Amino acid sequence: MNWLSRCALLLVLGANAGCGGGAGDGAIAEGGISGTGIAPAGVSIGPVSEFGSVRINGTRLEITPATEVRVHGEAATQADLRVGQVVRVEADFDAGTAHKIEYYATLRGPVESIAIVNPDTLRATLSVMGQTVRTTASTQFDGLLGPDALRVGDIVEVSGTRDAANAVAASFVARRSPGGVYRVTGRIENPTATTLRIAGLTIVHDAAERGPGLSEPLSAGLLVRVTGAAAGYSPGVARLVADRLEPGLALAAQLDAAVEAEGFVTRFESLADFDVDGQPVDASAARIEGGGAADLDVDVRVEVEGSIAAGGVLDATRVVLQSNAFVRIDARVEEVDPVAATLTLLGLPVTVPAAANIEDERSGGGGIGGVAGLAPGMQLELRGFLRGGAIVATRIEVEDPEDRALLLAPVGASDRQAGELTLLGLTIRASTALGTEFENEAEAEVGEDEFYASLRAGRLVKVRWDLFSSIAEPVDEASLEID
């Protein structure tokens, strides 16, 4: 990653610095930042992953007293932002400062159904105000351990990116108080003089206040933000009476401005003609990382770097195929570094962000108080995901001591003849001759040959030791998991 792109990414990653990932409707701003005439060196949209100052190539990127922060259109501060929320950032990377940070929820409304697809991986599908919301291990559950803590009728705020099916891949979920306003952001479908649709929700908009910059008449594909009173929502028919419509937060950069778009490929014709979250992209001259050009397709999550060309097309110089593969580790803590906020379990280093949920589930447990409260010998049930090959924890439960251990992760390699598979670089011995039992995704027992024949790189596998002494010992159970 070049220094400018890395700075762009780090404003989101560090909040005192650069910015990361996003997509828009391809509009070109004529007046610089919010019409001030100040031309940003870069614009980007993406989820906050952590807060803190960052120095890149000797340049410290900061949020200054002059930085404008807005949450749902209102003046705010950095303290009002949360990890996982998708923000839009305008920054002068040459000066190392952020000019403007904006956050607006993708959804705020009632949970109408919950389907836990895989409790191990925190994968679930929710219906929120007629919208499909998908959660994974990389979803930041603010004040919640996971989707299983939610109930039908809860009011939630969701931030994320829409996939090709218009479902929201949630990067942030939080429970909110009943009442107030409901919100939805998305692209217009089937507009008429009185109604429009966003995914599964009908919006009645004829009496709604119009925000500045919203084109009329409303056209299909336009990215909009909708606000309506809770009393104006009809759950039986998924219908919301809008009080206000505004343009969505998009990559509205000047020609040749550096931008970075992170999201799902929502349309794919060729390397020179595809969309990321609705943003047109030409990657015909781009460097492809994390895979090859043949791996690009609809619903692949990517990070795209480049600049805005004529017609609002993002002229990409770099495309990175992304994967937030799930990881679960149940084991005793071997090492803790509270300063670096890292743990070691099963010989694997794990980063614990400040926003990770840490709960004390021990009999008579009195609380932990963060990473500093963890200690070698504690039994943890840890869930997280892989970011750039590193394990990042999102949920940690401290359990009563046990002798067993468990590891769930994507397969790196397998060798049926040797009775071995590789998970996160660890060689795992799994063979019927050594006492291992094998299961498929339905938890039905299968033969060793069938199990190994089902493996492919990246397939999720769970292994368990009933009496753990060392990684070198064969596992008692190996099972295929739902991806």
Side-chain angles (χ1 to χ4, degrees):
M1 180 182 290
N2 60 42
W3 81 268
L4 180 58
S5 297
R6 185 169 176 83
C7 289
L9 176 62
L10 286 171
L11 186 48
V12 169
L13 296 183
N16 275 344
C19 76
D25 62 4
I28 303 298
E30 297 297 338
I33 297 174
S34 302
T36 64
I38 302 172
V43 177
S44 191
I45 302 175
V48 175
S49 66
E50 62 183 274
F51 292 100
S53 60
V54 178
R55 186 177 295 275
I56 292 296
N57 291 336
T59 302
R60 184 186 178 99
L61 303 174
E62 299 183 9
I63 294 177
T64 73
T67 302
E68 181 183 1
V69 179
R70 301 190 72 81
V71 173
H72 297 135
E74 301 293 329
T77 69
Q78 177 180 296
D80 296 310
L81 300 174
R82 296 290 182 269
V83 170
Q85 292 177 337
V86 175
V87 297
R88 181 184 187 275
V89 185
E90 298 173 347
D92 182 338
F93 299 119
D94 291 334
T97 56
H99 291 300
K100 187 175 183 179
I101 302 175
E102 296 176 90
Y103 168 69
Y104 196 97
T106 309
L107 282 173
R108 187 188 190 277
V111 176
E112 294 165 333
S113 69
I114 304 170
I116 306 296
V117 179
N118 188 336
D120 271 340
T121 63
L122 306 184
R123 186 176 293 276
T125 300
L126 316 177
S127 177
V128 178
M129 205 165 60
Q131 309 283 287
T132 298
V133 177
R134 307 190 198 283
T135 70
T136 67
S138 62
T139 303
Q140 180 62 48
F141 293 94
D142 191 52
L144 303 166
L145 275 178
D148 48 352
L150 294 170
R151 298 292 180 267
V152 170
D154 283 348
I155 304 302
V156 293
E157 178 179 317
V158 179
S159 186
T161 303
R162 291 186 183 269
D163 62 19
N166 228 352
V168 179
S171 54
F172 173 87
V173 177
R175 188 185 283 120
R176 295 295 185 231
S177 300
V181 298
Y182 288 173
R183 304 180 188 277
V184 62
T185 298
R187 296 188 182 274
I188 291 175
E189 303 168 0
N190 307 117
T192 71
T194 58
T195 65
L196 59 88
R197 287 182 64 80
I198 295 178
L201 179 66
T202 297
I203 307 292
V204 180
H205 66 80
D206 52 316
E209 178 186 0
R210 292 321 201 243
L214 191 63
S215 62
E216 295 285 356
L218 300 175
S219 57
L222 182 68
L223 184 65
V224 294
R225 305 180 320 210
V226 179
T227 304
Y233 178 60
S234 303
V237 292
R239 184 183 182 94
L240 177 68
V241 177
D243 293 329
R244 182 175 173 83
L245 265 65
E246 303 170 89
L249 298 178
L251 277 177
Q254 291 179 321
L255 285 173
D256 299 325
V259 296
E260 185 178 83
E262 180 180 340
F264 290 93
V265 176
T266 50
R267 180 187 64 85
F268 187 84
E269 296 295 331
S270 68
L271 194 61
D273 180 19
F274 64 97
D275 292 350
V276 176
D277 195 19
Q279 167 67 50
V281 177
D282 179 354
S284 56
R287 184 171 75 255
I288 311 296
E289 300 178 13
D295 298 314
L296 275 172
D297 205 345
V298 169
D299 267 344
V300 173
R301 192 178 189 100
V302 295
E303 173 193 318
V304 183
E305 299 171 9
S307 59
I308 296 294
V313 176
L314 199 168
D315 189 3
T317 56
R318 181 172 180 259
V319 177
V320 182
L321 280 67
Q322 297 185 332
S323 172
N324 288 331
F326 176 79
V327 174
R328 175 180 167 184
I329 306 173
D330 295 4
R332 296 200 182 197
V333 178
E334 296 159 2
E335 296 179 18
V336 181
D337 186 338
V339 176
T342 59
L343 306 172
T344 302
L345 299 91
L346 301 182
L348 297 167
V350 180
T351 298
V352 185
N357 290 308
I358 303 178
E359 298 288 334
D360 190 350
E361 299 294 328
R362 295 173 295 181
S363 303
I368 294 299
V371 178
L374 301 175
M378 284 185 172
Q379 181 78 24
L380 303 187
E381 181 178 301
L382 181 148
R383 290 174 170 85
F385 63 99
L386 292 176
R387 179 193 292 151
I391 305 171
V392 179
T394 56
R395 170 174 166 173
I396 296 174
E397 297 177 58
V398 183
E399 306 282 352
D400 290 324
E402 294 186 58
D403 293 324
R404 72 181 183 89
L406 178 150
L407 175 61
L408 193 160
V411 169
S414 62
D415 185 335
R416 164 66 184 88
Q417 296 305 312
E420 295 178 348
L421 56 144
T422 303
L423 300 178
L424 303 178
L426 302 177
T427 299
I428 306 298
R429 300 173 66 200
S431 169
T432 302
L434 298 174
T436 304
E437 295 182 356
F438 296 92
E439 293 184 352
N440 61 18
E441 300 94 327
E443 299 184 353
E445 188 172 344
V446 297
E448 184 173 355
D449 288 340
E450 181 179 343
F451 175 84
Y452 276 95
S454 300
L455 297 182
R456 65 179 188 279
R459 183 75 184 269
L460 284 181
V461 168
K462 179 169 66 178
V463 297
R464 191 189 74 230
W465 296 263
D466 291 334
L467 293 172
F468 180 77
S469 58
S470 115
I471 288 290
E473 294 298 315
V475 296
D476 294 284
E477 181 182 287
S479 60
L480 301 171
E481 292 293 306
I482 299 172
D483 291 341

